[in-house]
């Protein structure tokens, strides 16, 4: 399932550090990139970060909720890639795949990893099932009142058939919410999962302890919040698809001037300071500054400008933009995996 890339670096990549780079001195510093499509917000990213911070051997981690990805630098002698997957899974998020780790491949790796429709996902099925049971409970309580028989009691509080159906709806549709809330409580995180879980559990406790019969309210909260989560996931998936389409505009190879010759290399091999050559009809492989030539450049995909922009010596250009009618030599200012 996972095959992390390994880089003999000895130093973690740029980003927020959560350990002394020297922690990896006893072994090889490996870097792995994991696709976590359900990690789609800052709160989700915080849970994953908290889980990884508790794993010995993790030198640095960078969460990217916008694309559903986690990049981890770790001591391969102290922790394995499977242990990292288990840690992320323990936070409630499944790892679907890992990127190749090659420079420039990171942004689009795993593009097919979350192609499952959000509306037919496991959580969606549970949400629809919970909604159906909730609807059944409403029918029994309000339309078939004569069928709403007493089916049991808890601590002296009577449970009727409709209440039992509401409890089933909570158990089915609210499962992911309560699991997330439990994890948040264990790590003292006051996030939306914790608040929704507290509301659901509070309604149940009030129903059992004080006879308030708030089962319907708790079930409605579980179903509606789960639907809201699905809508959020759907909007994030659409944004990710747009991002992938934008990244697909970048060329896969670049012509670089080295030792007086022009050499064609993969875009991932282009480093800041290299001089790339772009001819009419070609795409600029990386962000940079024009050092020779002039041309109109179509950069609508990046800036939204409706007409090409004239570029000459000293002007900034962006990866994936199209050189229309001239010749440009561009000094690269950003690595392929760090372009605009």
């Amino acid at each position: 399932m996972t095959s992390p890339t390994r880089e003999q670096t000895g130093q973690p990549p740029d980003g927020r550090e959560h350990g002394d780079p020297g922690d990896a001195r006893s072994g090889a510093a490996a870097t792995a990139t994991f696709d976590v499509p359900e990690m789609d917000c800052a709160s989700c990213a915080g849970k994953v970060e908290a889980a990884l911070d508790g794993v010995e051997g993790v030198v640095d981690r960078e969460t990217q909720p916008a694309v559903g990805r986690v990049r981890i630098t770790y001591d391969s002698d102290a922790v394995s890639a499977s242990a990292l997957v288990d840690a992320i899974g323990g936070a409630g998020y499944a790892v679907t795949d890992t990127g190749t780790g090659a420079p420039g491949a990171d942004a689009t790796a795993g593009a097919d990893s979350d192609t499952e429709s959000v509306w037919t996902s496991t959580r969606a099925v549970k949400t629809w099932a919970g909604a159906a049971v909730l609807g059944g409970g409403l029918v029994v309580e309000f339309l078939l009142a004569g069928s709403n028989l007493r089916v049991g009691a808890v601590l002296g509080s009577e449970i009727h058939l409709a209440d039992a159906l509401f409890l089933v709806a909570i158990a089915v549709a609210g499962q992911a919410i309560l699991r997330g809330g439990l994890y948040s409580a264990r790590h003292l995180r006051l996030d939306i999962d914790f608040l929704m879980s507290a509301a659901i559990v509070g309604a149940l406790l009030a129903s059992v302890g004080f006879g308030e019969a708030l089962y319907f309210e708790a079930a409605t909260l579980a179903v509606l919040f789960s639907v809201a989560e699905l809508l959020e996931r759907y909007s994030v998936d659409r944004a990710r698809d747009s991002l992938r389409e934008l990244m697909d505009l970048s060329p896969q190879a670049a012509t670089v001037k080295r030792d007086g010759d022009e050499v064609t290399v993969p875009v991932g091999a282009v480093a800041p300071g290299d001089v790339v050559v772009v001819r009419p009809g070609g795409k600029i492989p990386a962000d940079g500054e024009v050092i020779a030539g002039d041309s109109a450049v179509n950069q609508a995909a990046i800036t939204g400008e409706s007409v090409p922009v004239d570029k000459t010596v000293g002007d900034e250009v962006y990866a994936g933009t199209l050189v229309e009618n001239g010749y440009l030599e561009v000094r690269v200012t950003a690595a392929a995996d760090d372009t605009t």
Side-chain angles (χ1 to χ4, degrees), residues 167-257:
L167 288 171
V168 172
I170 294 170
V172 176
Q175 184 182 102
I177 302 170
L178 296 173
R179 184 176 64 246
L182 177 61
Y183 186 88
S184 298
R186 285 169 50 194
H187 290 80
L188 304 178
R189 297 186 60 84
L190 189 63
D191 58 15
I192 188 64
D193 283 335
F194 175 81
L195 296 175
M196 291 297 102
S197 297
I200 294 171
V201 173
L204 294 178
L205 291 178
S207 300
V208 173
F210 302 99
E212 291 294 331
L214 299 176
Y215 303 106
F216 163 67
E217 287 79 359
T220 302
L221 180 60
V223 171
L224 291 182
F225 182 67
S226 190
V227 171
E229 291 276 89
L230 292 174
L231 288 171
E232 179 186 35
R233 175 70 188 281
Y234 173 71
S235 64
V236 169
D237 282 351
R238 290 187 63 185
R240 289 174 179 172
D241 288 342
S242 297
L243 179 60
R244 292 184 185 118
E245 291 174 0
L246 182 61
M247 293 302 299
D248 286 341
L249 295 175
S250 297
Q252 300 302 310
T255 302
V256 183
K257 296 185 73 172

Side-chain angles (χ1 to χ4, degrees), residues 249-253 255 277-285 294-298 308 320-328:
L249 295 175
S250 297
Q252 300 302 310
T255 302
V277 174
V278 189
R279 293 182 169 82
K283 290 182 178 180
I284 298 172
D294 58 79
S295 174
V297 176
N298 185 338
T321 55
L322 179 67
V323 175
E324 293 206 334
N325 54 12
Y327 167 92
L328 294 180

Side-chain angles (χ1 to χ4, degrees), residues 3-7 31 33 35 97-106 108-110:
S3 55
T5 60
R6 300 171 61 89
E7 299 173 358
T31 298
T33 302
D35 287 319
D97 202 352
T98 181
T100 64
D106 192 47
T108 55

Side-chain angles (χ1 to χ4, degrees), residues 103-121:
D106 192 47
T108 55
D112 298 327
S113 62
D114 56 342
T115 54
E116 178 190 32
S117 171
V118 65
W119 305 117
T120 57
S121 64

